[in-house]
């Protein structure tokens, strides 16, 4: 397998460090708009004598340039480690080059123009699923939403349906952490651009008798008790791909996603929204050499520390998982399938902070399953479309076991 990895930020760099310990691929081209970032990611793994990695420069929004890079390096698959703004040009470029495609976040949504907190407008992933027939005709696979959430959480959902439950009432993804960062009052552990997008958009909920619908941001607060010492965390509805993916392949009466944000974080996001600093459309500001057009959200991102660089200051654990209720053999059942990463462990073992490492390990596992033929398919498919056991076994084989808590 020959891989083009687009994006050499925190997650992309962690992907190279994880992949370097595996033998399933022949070559990996690491491309970024900033060649220094790509070269730095490659230098770390190449210093240990691994010559499978090559650095390149590419603009992820330039579909033709990405297609040419895939062709020039004879890549079999494009792994997208950029933010969701670049999903569609990379998705189209992979198809044009005759390559498979894998991402960790899906094409962007647009709220309903009149009823944003009741009805869906353009849903996450709609633009990709609209082109599923083209991928099927080409005999290529686009594996979408294959990070940790979405991704591993969706694998858990399929595993629960296949092996743990006869009927499922609710698939509820619950994400929480007890991470702290020394020296910062506000320092998100993941891309603030993506965090704003998913937290301030109308959350999507799926119910069997209603289909997909939306609610207000931060709705339905609940306290969820996370395992391995993390403890109770207040969680709220946010927009996330699982609610759009799981119902396509798994029968459940309800699907939700709730994120453990905390009151301070929620308050900060609400303030950004009130001030218009969450907007992506450029505004004109005065500059030293005249007016400058700039996106308010990009300014916010530029003012905050790079999440990938916070590992040495970070303490605690992060947990991703899927809470499932339903029946088994005629009796009520409730389980939480989860994956916990301790920041001290991920920093010591890989030099990557816990949140980005947890996101990065799952697409590498998926690539290995694709390379071995354990996961095959054509079209636009989510993680739920594949057998879960090979993935969960291989994740454990990577030295990062998952857990199950029965209530």
């Amino acid at each position: 397998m020959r891989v083009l990895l687009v994006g050499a930020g925190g997650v992309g760099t962690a992907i190279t460090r994880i992949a370097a310990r595996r033998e399933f691929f022949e070559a990996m081209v690491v491309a970024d708009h900033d060649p220094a970032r790509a070269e730095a990611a490659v230098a770390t793994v190449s210093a240990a004598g691994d010559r499978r990695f090559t650095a390149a420069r590419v603009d992820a929004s330039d579909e033709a340039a990405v297609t040419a890079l895939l062709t020039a390096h004879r890549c079999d698959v494009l792994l997208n480690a950029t933010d969701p703004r670049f999903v569609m040009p990379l998705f189209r470029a992979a198809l044009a080059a005759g390559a498979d495609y894998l991402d960790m976040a899906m094409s962007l949504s647009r709220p309903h123009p009149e009823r944003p907190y009741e009805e869906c407008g353009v849903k996450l992933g709609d633009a990709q699923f609209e082109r599923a027939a083209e991928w099927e005709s080409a005999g290529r696979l686009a594996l979408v939403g294959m990070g940790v959430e979405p991704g591993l959480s969706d694998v858990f959902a399929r595993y629960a349906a296949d092996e743990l439950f006869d009927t499922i009432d609710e698939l509820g993804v619950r994400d929480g952490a007890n991470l702290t960062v020394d020296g910062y009052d506000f320092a998100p552990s993941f891309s603030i651009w993506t965090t704003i997008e998913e937290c301030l958009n109308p959350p999507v909920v799926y119910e069997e008798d209603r289909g997909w619908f939306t609610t207000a941001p931060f709705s339905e607060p609940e306290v969820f008790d996370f395992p391995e010492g993390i403890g109770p965390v207040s969680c709220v509805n946010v927009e996330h791909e699982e609610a759009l993916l799981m119902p396509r392949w798994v029968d459940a009466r309800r699907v939700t996603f709730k994120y453990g944000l905390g009151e301070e974080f929620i308050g900060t996001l609400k303030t950004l929204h009130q001030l218009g600093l969450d907007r992506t459309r450029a505004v004109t500001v005065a500059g030293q050499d005249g007016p400058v057009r700039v996106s308010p959200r990009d300014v916010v991102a530029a003012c905050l520390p790079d999440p990938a660089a916070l590992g040495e200051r970070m303490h605690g654990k992060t947990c991703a998982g899927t809470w499932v209720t339903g029946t088994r053999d005629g009796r009520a059942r409730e389980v939480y399938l989860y994956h916990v990463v301790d920041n001290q462990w991920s920093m010591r073992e890989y030099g990557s902070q816990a949140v980005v490492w947890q996101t990065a390990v799952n697409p590498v596992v998926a690539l290995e399953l694709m390379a071995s033929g354990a996961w095959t398919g054509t079209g636009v498919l989510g993680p739920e479309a594949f057998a879960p056991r090979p993935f969960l076994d291989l994740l454990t084989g990577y030295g990062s076991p998952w857990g199950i808590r029965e209530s």
Side-chain angles (χ1 to χ4, degrees), residues 21-41:
R21 302 189 183 190
R22 311 299 295 185
E23 301 297 329
F24 68 88
F25 66 100
E26 175 188 348
M28 181 175 289
V29 180
V30 183
D32 196 277
H33 71 96
D34 180 354
R37 290 208 311 180
E39 289 161 5

Side-chain angles (χ1 to χ4, degrees), residues 170 172-175 218-226 232-237 254 256-263 323:
E170 181 164 351
V173 181
R174 298 295 184 265
D175 181 300
F218 314 119
S219 58
E220 299 181 0
E222 67 176 53
V223 175
F224 191 85
D225 188 19
F226 289 91
V233 179
S234 179
C235 299
V236 293
N237 282 326
R254 194 167 195 261
T256 59
F257 180 97
K258 292 190 179 182
Y259 199 2
L261 295 172
E263 291 302 318
W323 167 71

Side-chain angles (χ1 to χ4, degrees), residues 146-148 151-152 339 357-367 391 395:
M146 191 59 254
V148 59
L152 178 58
H339 183 249
W357 189 90
Q358 188 182 48
T359 303
V361 68
N362 295 286
V364 181
V365 172
L367 283 176
F391 187 98
L395 179 64

Side-chain angles (χ1 to χ4, degrees), residues 100-155:
D100 291 334
Y101 170 87
L102 192 154
D103 63 30
M104 292 164 272
M106 293 160 63
S107 60
L108 292 171
S109 64
R110 289 198 306 275
H112 190 280
E114 285 95 33
R115 294 164 55 86
Y117 303 135
E118 288 110 359
E119 297 182 29
C120 295
V122 175
K123 301 187 298 300
L124 291 169
D126 274 358
Q128 291 172 286
F129 283 114
E130 286 171 2
R131 302 194 65 174
E134 296 176 56
W135 284 81
E136 291 174 13
S137 297
R140 308 310 307 181
L141 170 63
L143 174 50
V144 297
M146 191 59 254
V148 59
E149 292 170 343
L152 178 58
S153 53
D154 303 77
V155 173

Side-chain angles (χ1 to χ4, degrees), residues 368-381:
E368 185 160 348
L369 292 174
M370 291 165 63
S372 70
W375 275 16
T376 61
T378 59
V380 179
L381 303 177

